[in-house]
Amino acid sequence: HRIDRLEIYGFKSFCEKTDIVLNGEVTAIVGPNGCGKSNVADAINWVLGEQSTKTLRAGRMEDVIFNGTQKRKALGVAEVTLTLREFANGASLPADFPSENGEVTVSRRLYRSGESEYFLNQRRCRLKDVYEFFEGTGLGSTSYALIEQGRIEVILGSKPQDRRALIEEAA
Amino acid sequence: HRIDRLEIYGFKSFCEKTDIVLNGEVTAIVGPNGCGKSNVADAINWVLGEQSTKTLRAGRMEDVIFNGTQKRKALGVAEVTLTLREFANGASLPADFPSENGEVTVSRRLYRSGESEYFLNQRRCRLKDVYEFFEGTGLGSTSYALIEQGRIEVILGSKPQDRRALIEEAA
Amino acid sequence: STEQFKETFDAINQNFKELFTLLFGGGQCEMRLLDETDLLESGIEIIAQPPGKRLQNVMLLSGGEKALVALALLLGIFKFRPSPFCLLDEVDAPLDDANVSRFTRLLGVMGKNTQFILITHNKKTMEVAQYLYGVTMQEAGVSKIVSVKFE
Amino acid sequence: STEQFKETFDAINQNFKELFTLLFGGGQCEMRLLDETDLLESGIEIIAQPPGKRLQNVMLLSGGEKALVALALLLGIFKFRPSPFCLLDEVDAPLDDANVSRFTRLLGVMGKNTQFILITHNKKTMEVAQYLYGVTMQEAGVSKIVSVKFE
Ligand SMILES: Nc1ncnc2c1ncn2[C@@H]1O[C@H](COP(=O)(O)OP(=O)(O)OP(=O)(O)O)[C@@H](O)[C@H]1O
Ligand SMILES: Nc1ncnc2c1ncn2[C@@H]1O[C@H](COP(=O)(O)OP(=O)(O)OP(=O)(O)O)[C@@H](O)[C@H]1O
Ligand SMILES: [Mg+2]
Ligand SMILES: [Mg+2]
């Protein structure tokens, strides 16, 4: 399977609906400090089911919703949609979420009330369904696929037991 | 007072005697990864009396002596000399270490046996004399003057109590 | 189980060693169990030898050398548990030009089976991307994305 | 003593705020005691507002923004306990071009009283140095220094 594109709306500094095509072999994201590049990484992590606020650089999960600037009011909901392609083996996608033209979309929404919603191919589903789907596509283990900013600097300085934990987690 | 120059011989990757003039307003040290730039910073830290092997990126203090390569044998002694200039107020320099032309040299030597030697103006002295001299020149508090590689990345991530310790240390 | 740990450890170690040699253009490295007899609890140390230098504990290497070793390890774990994509956020920040070239060459090799998403400030890294997105904040606090390059 | 701590805290905070505004070209920041009534033990939090953005805990800022805040804090402590020189090892690594320019402009201001020694890979930083030393390792493991520029 391949990642095809990412849509971000209301997530962190992306208060305007934003589309990024990601299906190249190598895609580079560039720009000045603080402009939102790592927020794109957080959006991918989040739509794939990340639940740790620390990893998402947030105090509480609600902090990932656009919280306003001096000129703009805060938004009430954050939504990220990931589209996957070339979904050859449809085995891991339940019949309730039919896919057209080999494309699968996964969406996650968070309201300020704290309520979360998940969608597969635009049909409402449970977080459990999203996880099961990912297990089938190899996206379940994306904890090794996202190397966040600053991780390279600290991964070796860890103690012998921390390094062991790294290996144990992958086992 | 001003830093004038640094001489490094047998310290870490500097197995050949090396001279660096440092009396400009801004001096830049550049070069590829692993070529020895941070080792220059360690040399300055060391000659100013640093005793923590962790800060010097060494296992034991003996590790700062050039330990050989596939082509060269290890050396038996490391020596670093710092020259200071414009030593207007000679008050903090004891009479036993007369300074000529307003210049003061501070040297530190370490032998593989573990024996250390310290010198002020090329005369053997105790570590205590070096510290007392530095107190007078404002070089005693160089812990705030050396911002080592990687420190910027971790200083804020520290817990509220670590940040307090930062301030307490300077108090 | 200790068998599973040992198998995982050995597989990742193999990837780690191969990636190290690719990223350093030579040399060798290894993860070692501090206590070979205690598979259940033993911590792990890492030793490395950049080309022409001595074998020593990884903590004694330079900033850029450590970053390269860390990258070899994290990508070694990724190869053991692969995903369709891999996102790297500013991993090239401490690297000099020669090492950035080795890094991008490695991406070219791995890119046959993996989509890479790179966040970077480095011009040499940008050059190997097929798609280039610029994120801007013309209006303070509001991110917008502009696609800069298509191939 | 708690008096001495409070005086130190206030003096460093003042330096910190001024340096932040210089490095960010605006905005504001502050160190705050988590418990104002407990001068003996209270931890410290840091809040910051880059120009045009919201005031928030510094841990929510971007990598480059955090580096700039950290630099403002460390230099703020340095100004409180000054030395004839200040050595900065690759502090500019996470900064974009605009922030490197603000950094070098700050060095120009502070350089009147302080000798700066900068270890860097950044070309814009190199441009403001009067002396430029290249460290090389033509022979593996053996450092040599070449002076590249004199003014
Ligand atoms: N919920 C939110 N609402 C609005 N803005 C937010 C929100 N969460 C984070 N931000 C802002 O996003 C910015 C951080 O963006 P990001 O970490 O993506 O920067 P970056 O492009 O990676 O920069 P760098 O190159 O410095 O790493 C911060 O200024 C932060 O204030
Ligand atoms: N006692 C020693 N004898 C010989 N070589 C040593 C000794 N101690 C350290 N080294 C070598 O010095 C090198 C590190 O140099 P240094 O940290 O100064 O690099 P650097 O120029 O700062 O690189 P970077 O840009 O990656 O930070 C390492 O390769 C290490 O093996
Ligand atoms: Mg970032
Ligand atoms: Mg270095």
Side-chain angles (χ1 to χ4, degrees):
Chain A
H1 319 105
R2 297 175 68 72
I3 298 227
D4 190 64
R5 67 184 180 282
L6 186 75
E7 292 154 77
I8 312 178
Y9 189 15
F11 183 88
K12 294 207 168 189
S13 53
F14 288 90
C15 56
E16 299 190 350
K17 194 167 189 314
T18 304
D19 239 305
I20 318 177
V21 173
L22 287 173
N23 64 11
E25 192 175 287
V26 181
T27 304
I29 299 175
V30 305
N33 294 132
C35 68
K37 306 181 295 296
S38 298
N39 289 348
V40 173
D42 293 337
I44 293 174
N45 211 351
W46 190 68
V47 73
L48 293 175
E50 181 62 59
Q51 303 293 351
S52 153
T53 53
K54 188 156 181 280
T55 308
L56 294 166
R57 290 179 302 145
R60 305 161 296 172
M61 196 51 97
E62 180 194 343
D63 291 345
V64 309
I65 307 171
F66 176 74
N67 52 27
T69 65
Q70 294 174 9
K71 290 189 181 167
R72 298 208 190 200
K73 296 220 297 326
L75 290 176
V77 54
E79 178 170 341
V80 178
T81 299
L82 184 68
T83 304
L84 302 162
R85 249 194 185 182
E86 290 165 26
F87 202 68
N89 106 41
S92 53
L93 199 63
D96 328 339
F97 307 106
S99 127
E100 305 147 20
N101 59 29
E103 275 196 4
V104 176
T105 65
V106 182
S107 301
R108 178 175 182 176
R109 220 184 259 172
L110 175 68
Y111 296 91
R112 263 203 202 279
S113 59
E115 214 181 306
S116 278
E117 291 176 350
Y118 299 88
F119 301 80
L120 277 170
N121 288 335
Q122 289 109 42
R123 280 183 178 70
R124 184 91 188 268
C125 66
R126 306 159 297 173
L127 177 56
K128 183 167 176 303
D129 298 315
V130 172
Y131 280 152
E132 280 179 15
F133 165 60
F134 283 148
E135 284 304 316
T137 63
L139 282 163
S141 52
T142 49
S143 40
Y144 315 108
L146 282 147
I147 300 179
E148 72 269 17
Q149 193 168 4
R151 185 129 167 254
I152 286 281
E153 278 78 6
V154 304
I155 199 89
L156 295 182
S158 40
K159 308 187 174 63
Q161 280 305 323
D162 296 335
R163 291 176 195 143
R164 181 193 176 90
L166 251 196
I167 305 298
E168 282 179 332
E169 236 181 309
Chain B
H1 320 104
R2 297 176 67 73
I3 297 226
D4 189 64
R5 67 183 180 282
L6 186 75
E7 292 155 77
I8 312 178
Y9 189 13
F11 182 89
K12 293 207 169 189
S13 53
F14 288 89
C15 56
E16 299 190 348
K17 195 167 189 313
T18 304
D19 239 305
I20 320 177
V21 174
L22 288 173
N23 65 12
E25 193 174 287
V26 182
T27 304
I29 299 176
V30 304
N33 294 132
C35 68
K37 306 180 297 296
S38 298
N39 288 348
V40 173
D42 292 338
I44 293 175
N45 211 351
W46 189 69
V47 74
L48 292 175
E50 182 61 58
Q51 303 294 351
S52 153
T53 53
K54 186 156 182 279
T55 309
L56 294 167
R57 293 179 300 144
R60 303 161 296 171
M61 197 50 99
E62 181 195 340
D63 291 344
V64 307
I65 306 171
F66 177 74
N67 52 28
T69 65
Q70 294 174 7
K71 289 189 182 169
R72 298 208 190 201
K73 296 221 294 334
L75 290 176
V77 55
E79 179 170 340
V80 177
T81 299
L82 183 68
T83 305
L84 301 162
R85 246 193 189 183
E86 290 166 27
F87 203 69
N89 106 42
S92 52
L93 200 63
D96 328 340
F97 307 106
S99 129
E100 306 147 19
N101 60 27
E103 273 197 3
V104 176
T105 65
V106 182
S107 300
R108 177 176 182 176
R109 219 184 258 171
L110 175 69
Y111 295 90
R112 268 211 194 274
S113 59
E115 214 182 306
S116 278
E117 291 175 351
Y118 298 88
F119 301 81
L120 278 169
N121 288 334
Q122 286 109 43
R123 280 183 177 72
R124 184 90 188 269
C125 66
R126 306 158 298 171
L127 176 56
K128 182 167 177 301
D129 299 315
V130 173
Y131 279 151
E132 280 179 15
F133 163 61
F134 283 146
E135 284 304 316
T137 62
L139 283 164
S141 51
T142 47
S143 40
Y144 314 108
L146 282 148
I147 300 180
E148 71 269 17
Q149 192 168 4
R151 184 127 168 255
I152 286 281
E153 279 79 5
V154 303
I155 199 89
L156 294 183
S158 41
K159 308 189 177 60
Q161 280 304 324
D162 296 335
R163 290 175 196 144
R164 182 194 175 91
L166 250 196
I167 306 298
E168 283 179 331
E169 236 182 308
Chain C
S1 75
T2 62
E3 269 172 41
Q4 195 177 13
F5 174 78
K6 189 71 171 80
E7 277 180 30
T8 303
F9 179 87
D10 290 342
I12 292 176
N13 217 359
Q14 187 55 33
N15 293 344
F16 177 45
K17 290 174 180 182
E18 288 167 15
L19 289 166
F20 177 98
T21 308
L22 276 170
L23 284 170
F24 274 86
Q28 50 164 332
C29 75
E30 195 182 12
M31 279 196 295
R32 276 188 195 167
L33 293 164
L34 288 173
D35 183 354
E36 294 260 346
T37 64
D38 180 10
L39 285 179
L40 208 62
E41 300 255 325
S42 172
I44 295 170
E45 76 170 338
I46 304 175
I47 54 176
Q49 179 203 315
K53 295 186 179 178
R54 300 181 79 225
L55 189 67
Q56 58 193 352
N57 191 298
V58 76
M59 299 315 291
L60 302 180
L61 295 185
S62 82
E65 291 171 331
K66 277 188 198 146
L68 234 41
V69 174
L71 192 60
L73 180 58
L74 290 174
L75 289 177
I77 297 175
F78 172 79
K79 284 185 98 175
F80 179 71
R81 290 270 180 240
S83 251
F85 79 99
C86 185
L87 189 148
L88 305 169
D89 193 342
E90 292 198 30
V91 299
D92 52 17
L95 305 181
D96 62 37
D97 285 355
N99 281 329
V100 170
S101 296
R102 291 198 195 96
F103 165 60
T104 57
R105 217 175 308 145
L106 175 65
L107 295 178
V109 168
M110 291 180 72
K112 302 277 162 285
N113 305 317
T114 307
Q115 285 168 285
F116 281 101
I117 302 166
L118 310 170
I119 298 175
T120 184
H121 288 288
N122 191 298
K123 307 206 168 24
K124 301 185 65 157
T125 302
M126 293 178 207
E127 282 166 20
V128 307
Q130 288 92 35
Y131 290 121
L132 191 67
Y133 287 102
V135 188
T136 66
M137 244 188 204
Q138 297 280 36
E139 181 188 337
V142 174
S143 294
K144 285 197 169 63
I145 297 199
V146 183
S147 58
V148 177
K149 161 174 139 190
F150 280 114
E151 276 174 29
Chain D
S1 76
T2 63
E3 268 172 43
Q4 196 177 14
F5 174 79
K6 189 71 171 81
E7 278 180 29
T8 303
F9 179 86
D10 291 340
I12 291 175
N13 216 359
Q14 187 54 33
N15 293 344
F16 176 46
K17 291 175 180 181
E18 289 168 15
L19 290 166
F20 177 97
T21 309
L22 275 170
L23 284 170
F24 274 85
Q28 49 164 332
C29 74
E30 195 182 13
M31 280 196 294
R32 276 188 195 167
L33 293 164
L34 288 173
D35 183 352
E36 294 259 346
T37 64
D38 180 10
L39 285 178
L40 208 62
E41 301 254 325
S42 171
I44 295 169
E45 76 169 340
I46 304 175
I47 54 177
Q49 180 202 315
K53 295 186 178 179
R54 301 180 77 224
L55 188 67
Q56 57 194 352
N57 191 299
V58 76
M59 300 315 291
L60 303 181
L61 295 184
S62 82
E65 289 169 333
K66 277 188 197 145
L68 234 41
V69 175
L71 191 60
L73 180 58
L74 290 175
L75 289 177
I77 297 175
F78 173 79
K79 283 185 98 176
F80 179 72
R81 290 271 180 241
S83 251
F85 78 99
C86 184
L87 188 147
L88 305 169
D89 193 343
E90 293 199 30
V91 299
D92 52 16
L95 304 181
D96 61 36
D97 285 354
N99 282 328
V100 170
S101 296
R102 292 198 194 96
F103 165 60
T104 57
R105 217 175 307 145
L106 175 65
L107 295 179
V109 167
M110 292 179 72
K112 301 278 162 284
N113 305 318
T114 308
Q115 285 168 285
F116 281 102
I117 302 166
L118 310 170
I119 298 175
T120 184
H121 288 288
N122 191 297
K123 306 202 170 24
K124 300 185 67 158
T125 301
M126 294 178 207
E127 282 167 19
V128 309
Q130 287 91 37
Y131 290 121
L132 191 68
Y133 287 101
V135 189
T136 65
M137 246 189 202
Q138 297 280 36
E139 181 188 338
V142 176
S143 295
K144 284 195 170 63
I145 297 199
V146 182
S147 58
V148 176
K149 161 173 138 190
F150 280 113
E151 277 173 29

